Amino acid sequence: MRKLWMAPVMAAAALMTAPRPAEACGGFFCGRQPVDQTAERILFATNEDGSVTMVTQIQYAGAAPDFAWVVPLAEVPAVESLAVFPQLALTALDTATGPQFQWPNDPDCYPAFPESAAGGGGTAGGTDDGDVTVHIREEVGPYDVAVVESTDPTALVGWLRDNNFRVNDAMVPYIRIYTSEGMKFLALRLQPDAEVTDIQPFRFTLPSGSPSIPIRLTAIAAEPEMGITVMILGDRRYGPANWPDVEIDDNQIVWSANQWPVQTNWTALVARGVDDAGGRGFVTEMSGPTTDIAEQVRNTMSSDEDQLAARDALLPLLEGNATITRLYTRLSPEEMTVDPIFRRTDGPVVSNTRLLPRYVDDRDLCVGPPGAEAAGAASPCDFAACGAGGLCRVVEGADGAQPVAACACVPGTTARTTFDPSGRPTVTCQDLRMSFLNPGDRALPDAPPLADPCATFDCGANGECVPMNMTPTCRCSTGYVAVGTIAADGSRTTTCVLPDEPVPTSFYDRRVPPLPDSLPGGRPVDVPPPAVGAASGGCNAGGHAGGAVGLSGALLGLLAAARRRRRS
């Protein structure tokens, strides 16, 4: 089976860039919010000639000269297919196909909120540049684009660096994986006069193959529990060929009746389902005809140029394919061990509309008559995903604030504060072996040694700061859990505290599983948590947490280096 490999390689901290508000609303492109604001979005569209067009979101925050983006490919893309794609079109399709939740069909169940709240010509053909074959080199929108190939990973990395595509040493073992498999590499960098604000999703077409994501390289700089949304347009339903189909029981959807939009634990259920499947798997969130979506896009009436451009880019892909399938997963770096491949599959239509249950585990989640409280209010841990190596516990909020979710982490992992899919701060246990840049390392061969990010970070009296890809994280003492906050300026705190319910001592008997030989780890780690009362690794609370790797230069990492809604 031929495979189409696709995923962006990003630099430093990443930022989810939402389309700017439009003065004139164009229906399909208006008033929608992504289900997972931090997820990567990837669109595949099959074509009648057997080729596959791919659109991938590019998220980046940093200096324009540091931007770098590399994609392993099985074949050389058609040079005329290289183009930018409107972010608005990709975001709108994502939100149109994402899960929609309906209020329980129960006359005794009331919402606590008002009802009204509801290319230019370039070169192609191939030239030799020493041990590297340059198949394509041209300018596309704001990008300087190259497609290169080499059987020598050292020569390939050297060529990329010589041509100002910033490659970190930690990437070399992963690039070697794909060069040994005969892959080509599509590389992008911003042109000298381009700004970061010019970055847009990128589109290209490969002659043949099955859609696939080179996720092993993603492990270099992925956030823990990173969301990945894959949308596939084809003549029939698609599903993972070499990963399990993970099914979520809708009767386990917990929701909060006191918030609008309604908060559910859907993304947490997906994360736990994938963990239970061994760290691999996709949930089919939707599969059905493209007819209705294409009609909505076709009927977009607007004077806004961005909306019209999004309509004109998206409509041909929808009209050329009868079915759209939406797949979703949440993965941590240590789970990115096998590249997922997608293929045509049989199966019924899957609606993205789900009916919220009134009762979950004997809890009544509904609000009674107007003015009443929910009978069985949801717990903060219902909405949290601490990762395969974590255990959620509730911690009382400070100064009368609402209780929050916190995480205990097994030995060999450390607690990191990040954003959950709705944009709120959360903590996830991250595998310490997946730290590829550490204090004293050099981001690039000519860069100065990296400073210790724990020097100004405090985990509290019962935690120890551990640098993880140059981001401060906390290893809590036995029995303590990590709780995180994120300030308005993006600075983060992680503190080790006692939970309301004790952590079982047997929890600490668990260990992280060994990494497969195919996934080079950053460092070997098998250490117990610090003893109760261990000293913290820093002196100042509220330290600054950088990107997945807080570098002055660029760190390559597939499917978006560090998942952020804002630069930290």
mmCIF file of all heavy atoms in Angstrom, residues 264-286:
data_model
loop_
_atom_site.group_PDB
_atom_site.id
_atom_site.type_symbol
_atom_site.label_atom_id
_atom_site.label_comp_id
_atom_site.label_asym_id
_atom_site.label_seq_id
_atom_site.Cartn_x
_atom_site.Cartn_y
_atom_site.Cartn_z
ATOM 1 N N THR A 264 -18.734 19.702 28.051
ATOM 2 C CA THR A 264 -18.819 18.249 28.158
ATOM 3 C C THR A 264 -17.427 17.663 28.378
ATOM 4 O O THR A 264 -16.412 18.347 28.228
ATOM 5 C CB THR A 264 -19.425 17.613 26.889
ATOM 6 O OG1 THR A 264 -18.416 17.569 25.858
ATOM 7 C CG2 THR A 264 -20.637 18.399 26.395
ATOM 8 N N ASN A 265 -17.392 16.383 28.707
ATOM 9 C CA ASN A 265 -16.122 15.682 28.903
ATOM 10 C C ASN A 265 -15.746 14.871 27.676
ATOM 11 O O ASN A 265 -15.009 13.888 27.781
ATOM 12 C CB ASN A 265 -16.204 14.775 30.130
ATOM 13 C CG ASN A 265 -17.181 13.625 29.931
ATOM 14 O OD1 ASN A 265 -18.112 13.721 29.128
ATOM 15 N ND2 ASN A 265 -16.997 12.536 30.671
ATOM 16 N N TRP A 266 -16.263 15.252 26.497
ATOM 17 C CA TRP A 266 -16.034 14.473 25.288
ATOM 18 C C TRP A 266 -14.550 14.283 24.993
ATOM 19 O O TRP A 266 -14.087 13.175 24.737
ATOM 20 C CB TRP A 266 -16.730 15.132 24.092
ATOM 21 C CG TRP A 266 -16.451 14.428 22.799
ATOM 22 C CD1 TRP A 266 -15.614 14.826 21.804
ATOM 23 C CD2 TRP A 266 -17.011 13.184 22.368
ATOM 24 N NE1 TRP A 266 -15.605 13.927 20.773
ATOM 25 C CE2 TRP A 266 -16.458 12.905 21.097
ATOM 26 C CE3 TRP A 266 -17.914 12.288 22.924
ATOM 27 C CZ2 TRP A 266 -16.793 11.752 20.380
ATOM 28 C CZ3 TRP A 266 -18.248 11.138 22.201
ATOM 29 C CH2 TRP A 266 -17.694 10.884 20.952
ATOM 30 N N THR A 267 -13.773 15.371 24.983
ATOM 31 C CA THR A 267 -12.352 15.240 24.643
ATOM 32 C C THR A 267 -11.607 14.420 25.696
ATOM 33 O O THR A 267 -10.667 13.687 25.368
ATOM 34 C CB THR A 267 -11.697 16.618 24.484
ATOM 35 O OG1 THR A 267 -11.877 17.389 25.674
ATOM 36 C CG2 THR A 267 -12.314 17.374 23.315
ATOM 37 N N ALA A 268 -12.009 14.526 26.965
ATOM 38 C CA ALA A 268 -11.389 13.699 28.004
ATOM 39 C C ALA A 268 -11.729 12.224 27.788
ATOM 40 O O ALA A 268 -10.879 11.341 27.988
ATOM 41 C CB ALA A 268 -11.841 14.152 29.386
ATOM 42 N N LEU A 269 -12.968 11.932 27.369
ATOM 43 C CA LEU A 269 -13.347 10.554 27.081
ATOM 44 C C LEU A 269 -12.519 9.990 25.929
ATOM 45 O O LEU A 269 -12.102 8.825 25.956
ATOM 46 C CB LEU A 269 -14.833 10.473 26.747
ATOM 47 C CG LEU A 269 -15.829 10.638 27.898
ATOM 48 C CD1 LEU A 269 -17.250 10.657 27.362
ATOM 49 C CD2 LEU A 269 -15.662 9.530 28.929
ATOM 50 N N VAL A 270 -12.275 10.809 24.904
ATOM 51 C CA VAL A 270 -11.455 10.363 23.782
ATOM 52 C C VAL A 270 -10.038 10.059 24.255
ATOM 53 O O VAL A 270 -9.455 9.014 23.908
ATOM 54 C CB VAL A 270 -11.435 11.415 22.661
ATOM 55 C CG1 VAL A 270 -10.423 11.038 21.576
ATOM 56 C CG2 VAL A 270 -12.829 11.567 22.057
ATOM 57 N N ALA A 271 -9.470 10.954 25.062
ATOM 58 C CA ALA A 271 -8.108 10.746 25.562
ATOM 59 C C ALA A 271 -8.011 9.456 26.366
ATOM 60 O O ALA A 271 -7.073 8.662 26.205
ATOM 61 C CB ALA A 271 -7.672 11.939 26.409
ATOM 62 N N ARG A 272 -8.981 9.220 27.247
ATOM 63 C CA ARG A 272 -8.953 8.001 28.054
ATOM 64 C C ARG A 272 -9.173 6.759 27.197
ATOM 65 O O ARG A 272 -8.560 5.715 27.422
ATOM 66 C CB ARG A 272 -10.018 8.086 29.140
ATOM 67 C CG ARG A 272 -9.767 9.183 30.169
ATOM 68 C CD ARG A 272 -10.973 9.342 31.085
ATOM 69 N NE ARG A 272 -10.981 10.646 31.735
ATOM 70 C CZ ARG A 272 -12.075 11.256 32.141
ATOM 71 N NH1 ARG A 272 -13.261 10.678 31.974
ATOM 72 N NH2 ARG A 272 -12.003 12.437 32.718
ATOM 73 N N GLY A 273 -10.064 6.878 26.193
ATOM 74 C CA GLY A 273 -10.296 5.745 25.306
ATOM 75 C C GLY A 273 -9.052 5.365 24.522
ATOM 76 O O GLY A 273 -8.752 4.179 24.341
ATOM 77 N N VAL A 274 -8.310 6.356 24.050
ATOM 78 C CA VAL A 274 -7.072 6.084 23.321
ATOM 79 C C VAL A 274 -6.026 5.482 24.267
ATOM 80 O O VAL A 274 -5.296 4.553 23.899
ATOM 81 C CB VAL A 274 -6.551 7.369 22.652
ATOM 82 C CG1 VAL A 274 -5.162 7.155 22.056
ATOM 83 C CG2 VAL A 274 -7.524 7.837 21.569
ATOM 84 N N ASP A 275 -5.938 6.002 25.493
ATOM 85 C CA ASP A 275 -5.010 5.423 26.470
ATOM 86 C C ASP A 275 -5.348 3.958 26.723
ATOM 87 O O ASP A 275 -4.461 3.097 26.788
ATOM 88 C CB ASP A 275 -5.068 6.205 27.785
ATOM 89 C CG ASP A 275 -4.404 7.569 27.687
ATOM 90 O OD1 ASP A 275 -3.603 7.778 26.759
ATOM 91 O OD2 ASP A 275 -4.686 8.428 28.543
ATOM 92 N N ASP A 276 -6.639 3.648 26.865
ATOM 93 C CA ASP A 276 -7.065 2.271 27.116
ATOM 94 C C ASP A 276 -6.776 1.365 25.922
ATOM 95 O O ASP A 276 -6.648 0.143 26.084
ATOM 96 C CB ASP A 276 -8.559 2.223 27.449
ATOM 97 C CG ASP A 276 -8.886 2.856 28.790
ATOM 98 O OD1 ASP A 276 -7.946 3.031 29.604
ATOM 99 O OD2 ASP A 276 -10.061 3.190 29.021
ATOM 100 N N ALA A 277 -6.692 1.952 24.720
ATOM 101 C CA ALA A 277 -6.388 1.179 23.516
ATOM 102 C C ALA A 277 -4.886 1.010 23.311
ATOM 103 O O ALA A 277 -4.464 0.556 22.241
ATOM 104 C CB ALA A 277 -7.016 1.854 22.296
ATOM 105 N N GLY A 278 -4.102 1.375 24.308
ATOM 106 C CA GLY A 278 -2.657 1.222 24.216
ATOM 107 C C GLY A 278 -1.942 2.423 23.659
ATOM 108 O O GLY A 278 -0.781 2.329 23.250
ATOM 109 N N GLY A 279 -2.620 3.580 23.633
ATOM 110 C CA GLY A 279 -1.968 4.794 23.160
ATOM 111 C C GLY A 279 -2.114 5.036 21.681
ATOM 112 O O GLY A 279 -1.501 5.951 21.134
ATOM 113 N N ARG A 280 -2.915 4.225 20.994
ATOM 114 C CA ARG A 280 -3.195 4.443 19.578
ATOM 115 C C ARG A 280 -4.683 4.308 19.358
ATOM 116 O O ARG A 280 -5.339 3.487 19.989
ATOM 117 C CB ARG A 280 -2.487 3.409 18.696
ATOM 118 C CG ARG A 280 -0.983 3.398 18.772
ATOM 119 C CD ARG A 280 -0.439 2.320 17.852
ATOM 120 N NE ARG A 280 0.883 1.896 18.264
ATOM 121 C CZ ARG A 280 1.436 0.748 17.889
ATOM 122 N NH1 ARG A 280 0.763 -0.078 17.114
ATOM 123 N NH2 ARG A 280 2.637 0.431 18.301
ATOM 124 N N GLY A 281 -5.201 5.051 18.417
ATOM 125 C CA GLY A 281 -6.606 4.922 18.083
ATOM 126 C C GLY A 281 -7.212 6.237 17.640
ATOM 127 O O GLY A 281 -6.731 7.316 18.010
ATOM 128 N N PHE A 282 -8.249 6.146 16.820
ATOM 129 C CA PHE A 282 -9.019 7.296 16.380
ATOM 130 C C PHE A 282 -10.492 7.045 16.644
ATOM 131 O O PHE A 282 -10.980 5.918 16.488
ATOM 132 C CB PHE A 282 -8.820 7.567 14.882
ATOM 133 C CG PHE A 282 -7.567 8.327 14.551
ATOM 134 C CD1 PHE A 282 -6.372 7.664 14.322
ATOM 135 C CD2 PHE A 282 -7.580 9.714 14.465
ATOM 136 C CE1 PHE A 282 -5.219 8.365 14.012
ATOM 137 C CE2 PHE A 282 -6.426 10.421 14.166
ATOM 138 C CZ PHE A 282 -5.242 9.741 13.938
ATOM 139 N N VAL A 283 -11.193 8.078 17.031
ATOM 140 C CA VAL A 283 -12.638 8.040 17.176
ATOM 141 C C VAL A 283 -13.252 8.650 15.918
ATOM 142 O O VAL A 283 -12.845 9.736 15.487
ATOM 143 C CB VAL A 283 -13.097 8.833 18.416
ATOM 144 C CG1 VAL A 283 -14.621 8.909 18.478
ATOM 145 C CG2 VAL A 283 -12.544 8.192 19.686
ATOM 146 N N THR A 284 -14.211 7.949 15.307
ATOM 147 C CA THR A 284 -14.940 8.502 14.173
ATOM 148 C C THR A 284 -16.029 9.405 14.714
ATOM 149 O O THR A 284 -17.045 8.947 15.233
ATOM 150 C CB THR A 284 -15.554 7.387 13.315
ATOM 151 O OG1 THR A 284 -14.512 6.519 12.843
ATOM 152 C CG2 THR A 284 -16.286 7.977 12.111
ATOM 153 N N GLU A 285 -15.820 10.712 14.606
ATOM 154 C CA GLU A 285 -16.780 11.672 15.133
ATOM 155 C C GLU A 285 -17.910 11.966 14.150
ATOM 156 O O GLU A 285 -18.988 12.396 14.553
ATOM 157 C CB GLU A 285 -16.072 12.976 15.502
ATOM 158 C CG GLU A 285 -15.130 12.838 16.691
ATOM 159 C CD GLU A 285 -14.609 14.167 17.177
ATOM 160 O OE1 GLU A 285 -14.227 15.004 16.326
ATOM 161 O OE2 GLU A 285 -14.568 14.380 18.400
ATOM 162 N N MET A 286 -17.653 11.724 12.871
ATOM 163 C CA MET A 286 -18.680 11.971 11.863
ATOM 164 C C MET A 286 -18.303 11.257 10.577
ATOM 165 O O MET A 286 -17.125 11.180 10.222
ATOM 166 C CB MET A 286 -18.831 13.466 11.585
ATOM 167 C CG MET A 286 -19.817 13.803 10.476
ATOM 168 S SD MET A 286 -19.713 15.515 9.953
ATOM 169 C CE MET A 286 -20.903 15.536 8.620
#
